[in-house]
Amino acid sequence: MEGSILESIGLEIIGVMSPVSICMLLVVLLVYSLSAPSSSAPIRTAANLVYLESPSDSATQKLEGALLNALVFVVFIALVTFLLVLLYYYNFTNFLKNYTRFSAFFVLGTMGGSIFLSLIQHFSIPIDSITCFVLLLNFTVVGVLSVFSGAVPIFLRQAYMVALGIIVAAWFTKLPEWTTWVLLVALAVYDLVAVLAPGGPLKILVELASSRDEELPALVYEARPTVSRNVGSGGSSLGLLVGGVSDSNSVELQDLSRNNQNRNQGSVENRECAAIEIENSRHHEVAIGSEEVETSPLVPNVQARLSSSSGSSEFSVVDTASDRNRQYGHVQSEIVVDEERFPLVERLGLDNEREPAGRDGFETSESTSRGFDRGNLRPVGAGDVGCGWYRLFFEISKLIQHYNSNGGCCGQLLLKYLNMLCGNIFSQLAGPQAHSDIKMGFNLWSDHCRIIVKHIGV
Amino acid sequence: MTVAAGIGYALLALGPSLSLFIAVISKKPFLILTVLSSTLVWLMSLIAISAVWRAFLPLKTTAWWPYGILILSSVVFQEGLRILFWRVYKRLEDVLDAFADRVSKPRLFLTDKMQIALAGGLGHGVAHAVFFCLSLLTPAFGPATYYVEKCSQIPFFLVSAVIALGFVTIHTFTMVIAFNGYAEKNIVDQLFAPIVHLVAGMLTLINLASGGCIVGIPLLYFMAALTLMHCGKMVQRRLTQNQSRQ
């Protein structure tokens, strides 16, 4: 059953709202539990450069002083942001990235460290200074790594962004009261202007980054989903087939992600199912309908065909030969299946159905049977795995085919090597204890290779 | 009585709603938004009621009937708000269905609609629990506890947590019943929610009597159990009807 829209609406809003809410909740908890005595001497920070608020001033004095403070702070931030934009414009990106890492290190280390220390003091946690130092160092270094490296799981990165937010927010609560309120309003207004107004520095920065198609060299929270929502996903760069184990009733056609189409997409997000088309007698390209993986209409379809005629129902993987041709720009080599059919196909008695496809510049549809039992047409359920691998190598070999006619001996060598490699792998898999279906897949593969090899003339 | 007891009281009032949230609602972002908006609506209704009643409060009377009038008026107002909530939901349902057609996905299923109603009710219940129980719990995190003379067997915080749990249940599931009643034009279901709400509210007046909480709280839970059973039966009936129709 297809998922309802209820599962996907509002995803982005929640993706942004939840870290903000978590951050706010944790800051409130932190400040509430620490609740440091406010009678400590007010420290002079960037936010109260001009006016140091003390409780004994009158209201108007405090208001004026707070406004002045906020103005100075906002001007300061605006200047620094413009400097950032300038540096980015003149391609000092490396410097910016290193500065980002340094600032993350600094914030996590010093400000985070002081929060840790006050926590330890407040709750009298028995921990010695060396352990504390090591822990803080680990925390800081992992934070810096997660910010700039792409290999860190996104969840960790998001957690560190939230931690940075918590630390800076907790620092801001140390400011005197009036200054805090006025600064809040001033910063909100400045942010609106900086991001939305045409001359705003942040807007310029974002536009520059998107025009150069790079990532911003800044501490950005990415609200990506942290867990892949695909069942059984394992996106690799080739978009490997996920050969699923299916029960004997549902012949699931698992993902056939074509290498050429999905080369840039590592995820298994767009799975396409090879539609099952019997057709191979036409000379024009047959498009593959891409269907959802769990489409059950496909199953009765298949089984109806299975039962209809004993010999005629077979599953052919029909290439979008058009795609290949378009991409590679030539149509010279193709695999002719007419004379040399698959041994399996022959056994299924499909001779009369095939027409010879001429050698005139397009590929005929390849027909591969999907792991059928040789005698009868019972679809082999767990043979998907073997046939999945088989199909993968099949695709690879076709790729090499194309390159071969351009690349000459290179492709042939590669194909030979691949044949050897797969032969090795599959001979282990096809050993006496291997599953019969994997063996069958291997046999199909080797049949196919023989055909290829014969036609290349290697 | 220490942090552990404080957390314990909080979880007593809000534990089931937390598990409901994690199990059902957190999976679908739209439901989270529904919970938040219904919480907001309930709080706004409280603000409105208290704005009206501010002139008369605090009630310097030992008789019980002024409190009765207070509860009656509040319940009537909130039930009126429930009808408004339903109207807004109907419009939202149309918007969602149109969106579903546009992106060629199936329209809202029956379970989806019931989940939205559940989320709405949960928002109301959580708001009640936070407002009437959690806000009072702050002293419970300290080293001592507090007993009320009219209900001296158990600490005050425990009483308020238990009452809050009853009301959370009632709010959550009466919303499901009410939405179903409005959808099916079923008079029984439509009237069930206001009546149960009113009765439950009035039952808390029993706690004003000395030793009354021994009687009042079990009766409140009887109402909550009644709500649960009715909701369960209704949901089962609807689902089997739907199933047989398909």
Side-chain angles (χ1 to χ4, degrees):
Chain A
M1 183 167 84
E2 275 187 46
S4 79
I5 51 167
L6 213 58
E7 299 183 0
S8 56
I9 289 191
L11 200 60
E12 303 87 12
I13 304 179
I14 295 293
V16 169
M17 243 181 47
S18 63
V20 170
S21 331
I22 292 176
C23 181
M24 290 200 293
L25 183 73
L26 286 179
V27 170
V28 166
L29 276 179
L30 187 71
V31 172
Y32 181 71
S33 65
L34 282 185
S35 58
S38 57
S39 59
S40 57
I43 42 177
R44 183 173 284 276
T45 62
N48 41 10
L49 277 175
V50 177
Y51 164 69
L52 216 51
E53 183 176 322
S54 68
S56 56
D57 294 341
S58 70
T60 39
Q61 249 188 334
K62 283 191 198 172
L63 186 62
E64 281 174 5
L67 279 173
L68 220 53
N69 271 341
L71 185 69
V72 167
F73 193 67
V74 165
V75 163
F76 185 60
I77 287 191
L79 278 177
V80 172
T81 315
F82 272 115
L83 181 66
L84 195 84
V85 170
L86 212 63
L87 284 176
Y88 189 64
Y89 184 69
Y90 286 115
N91 280 323
F92 282 97
T93 319
N94 264 335
F95 171 75
L96 281 176
K97 286 207 174 115
N98 286 326
Y99 180 72
T100 311
R101 294 164 196 165
F102 166 71
S103 78
F105 178 80
F106 192 73
V107 168
L108 284 174
T110 58
M111 289 157 69
S114 89
I115 291 182
F116 281 152
L117 283 179
S118 22
L119 274 174
I120 293 175
Q121 267 182 325
H122 188 88
F123 290 112
S124 312
I125 303 178
I127 186 174
D128 61 299
S129 56
I130 299 183
T131 311
C132 181
F133 176 71
V134 169
L135 284 177
L136 186 64
L137 189 70
N138 281 348
F139 175 72
T140 312
V141 167
V142 174
V144 172
L145 280 178
S146 71
V147 159
F148 84 83
S149 158
V152 174
I154 188 76
F155 181 68
L156 196 63
R157 187 176 172 160
Q158 289 173 343
Y160 267 103
M161 288 294 143
V162 172
L164 273 173
I166 293 174
I167 291 174
V168 175
W171 178 83
F172 265 109
T173 60
K174 293 198 170 54
L175 293 176
E177 191 185 341
W178 282 72
T179 311
T180 310
W181 284 110
V182 178
L183 199 62
L184 173 72
V185 174
L187 272 181
V189 169
Y190 163 74
D191 271 336
L192 277 175
V193 167
V195 173
L196 294 178
L202 290 177
K203 183 164 192 180
I204 301 177
L205 191 66
V206 168
E207 279 171 6
L208 270 180
S210 68
S211 70
R212 294 187 199 172
D213 214 12
E214 311 180 329
E215 249 186 41
L216 276 176
L219 296 169
V220 178
Y221 180 94
E222 293 180 57
R224 273 192 264 147
T226 57
V227 179
S228 165
R229 289 173 189 267
N230 291 314
V231 175
S233 76
S236 71
S237 55
L238 271 183
L240 281 179
L241 282 163
V242 178
V245 178
S246 53
D247 56 296
S248 55
N249 291 335
S250 66
V251 179
E252 277 181 13
L253 288 181
Q254 288 289 358
D255 337 304
L256 174 65
S257 344
R258 249 152 260 116
N259 318 2
N260 52 352
Q261 287 173 4
N262 299 338
R263 204 171 287 145
N264 297 330
Q265 300 163 13
S267 69
V268 199
E269 233 93 32
N270 57 339
R271 301 146 127 197
E272 292 179 342
C273 239
I276 310 172
E277 275 306 324
I278 293 188
E279 191 38 63
N280 46 25
S281 60
R282 288 174 292 176
H283 289 276
H284 50 270
E285 288 99 36
V286 177
I288 288 193
S290 58
E291 308 179 37
E292 294 290 314
V293 178
E294 294 99 35
T295 311
S296 47
L298 199 55
V299 174
N301 216 357
V302 161
Q303 294 194 334
R305 287 188 186 177
L306 275 181
S307 52
S308 59
S309 59
S310 61
S312 61
S313 57
E314 55 148 343
F315 298 99
S316 43
V317 175
V318 178
D319 286 322
T320 51
S322 49
D323 287 349
R324 290 260 169 78
N325 294 342
R326 259 181 264 127
Q327 284 198 14
Y328 300 128
H330 70 278
V331 288
Q332 281 167 16
S333 71
E334 73 282 341
I335 299 174
V336 177
V337 193
D338 44 355
E339 305 99 31
E340 183 92 25
R341 295 184 199 111
F342 284 141
L344 193 58
V345 164
E346 275 179 298
R347 272 170 232 152
L348 289 179
L350 289 162
D351 319 63
N352 40 0
E353 291 218 345
R354 296 195 161 277
E355 285 181 29
R359 276 184 173 270
D360 45 350
F362 45 76
E363 285 189 358
T364 61
S365 48
E366 291 299 308
S367 66
T368 76
S369 18
R370 251 188 104 255
F372 276 172
D373 210 7
R374 301 211 173 180
N376 42 353
L377 288 170
R378 174 186 65 85
V380 181
D384 292 9
V385 175
C387 295
W389 280 107
Y390 162 74
R391 196 172 293 151
L392 166 71
F393 289 122
F394 171 68
E395 294 299 316
I396 293 180
S397 66
K398 299 197 63 150
L399 256 184
I400 298 175
Q401 270 278 277
H402 277 285
Y403 276 125
N404 172 54
S405 39
N406 274 347
C409 61
C410 203
Q412 300 173 5
L413 278 177
L414 194 55
L415 196 58
K416 252 181 155 176
Y417 171 70
L418 199 63
N419 201 6
M420 263 191 330
L421 181 68
C422 304
N424 272 341
I425 297 176
F426 270 141
S427 61
Q428 287 174 14
L429 287 177
Q433 64 273 26
H435 200 287
S436 62
D437 308 308
I438 301 185
K439 251 197 257 189
M440 190 178 322
F442 166 60
N443 288 329
L444 288 172
W445 156 253
S446 58
D447 288 339
H448 180 68
C449 277
R450 245 179 282 134
I451 296 169
I452 298 175
V453 159
K454 171 162 181 179
H455 281 284
I456 301 177
V458 174
Chain B
M1 285 204 303
T2 75
V3 176
I7 297 182
Y9 294 135
L11 282 180
L12 192 62
L14 281 179
S17 30
L18 187 68
S19 19
L20 207 62
F21 186 85
I22 293 180
V24 176
I25 298 195
S26 66
K27 304 263 160 53
K28 309 197 177 179
F30 186 74
L31 294 178
I32 303 180
L33 292 172
T34 311
V35 169
L36 289 173
S37 49
S38 77
T39 309
L40 194 65
V41 162
W42 205 88
L43 279 178
M44 287 197 312
S45 76
L46 273 190
I47 292 177
I49 295 174
S50 64
V52 167
W53 272 91
R54 185 67 184 86
F56 306 96
L57 293 173
L59 290 173
K60 294 187 190 61
T61 165
T62 48
W64 60 268
W65 55 266
Y67 296 105
I69 299 183
L70 176 64
I71 293 182
L72 180 70
S73 60
S74 316
V75 169
V76 163
F77 185 73
Q78 283 183 343
E79 291 304 320
L81 218 59
R82 195 197 296 271
I83 298 185
L84 199 69
F85 207 56
W86 163 255
R87 296 256 169 80
V88 170
Y89 164 70
K90 268 316 250 181
R91 223 173 298 163
L92 187 70
E93 198 183 306
D94 293 334
V95 167
L96 283 179
D97 276 338
F99 175 74
D101 289 338
R102 247 207 327 266
V103 297
S104 60
K105 280 216 171 164
R107 300 185 143 204
L108 288 176
F109 300 117
L110 180 64
T111 48
D112 286 340
K113 299 183 192 174
M114 290 206 267
Q115 276 176 348
I116 296 182
L118 185 75
L122 192 70
H124 276 12
V126 165
H128 182 112
V130 166
F131 199 79
F132 284 109
C133 172
L134 284 194
S135 60
L136 305 170
L137 265 189
T138 320
F141 286 91
T145 187
Y146 181 63
Y147 288 84
V148 183
E149 38 191 71
K150 294 212 173 135
C151 190
S152 52
Q153 279 87 358
I154 40 181
F156 168 69
F157 305 114
L158 187 57
V159 173
S160 67
V162 163
I163 293 179
L165 176 62
F167 269 105
V168 161
T169 316
I170 290 180
H171 279 304
T172 310
F173 293 103
T174 49
M175 187 67 89
V176 179
I177 297 175
F179 270 30
N180 184 62
Y182 296 135
E184 273 190 327
K185 310 258 190 306
N186 184 349
I187 286 289
V188 172
D189 283 346
Q190 279 181 22
L191 288 179
F192 187 88
I195 291 180
V196 165
H197 194 180
L198 189 61
V199 170
M202 290 304 187
L203 278 176
T204 55
L205 287 176
I206 301 182
N207 298 335
L208 281 178
S210 174
C213 58
I214 301 181
V215 174
I217 297 184
L219 281 178
L220 179 69
Y221 271 80
F222 171 71
M223 298 303 299
L226 188 71
T227 312
L228 273 174
M229 271 187 353
H230 187 97
C231 186
K233 275 201 304 216
M234 185 228 19
V235 166
Q236 201 173 29
R237 176 179 54 85
R238 282 297 308 263
L239 284 181
T240 44
Q241 262 180 11
N242 209 29
Q243 204 80 319
S244 62
R245 208 179 302 155
Q246 281 177 357

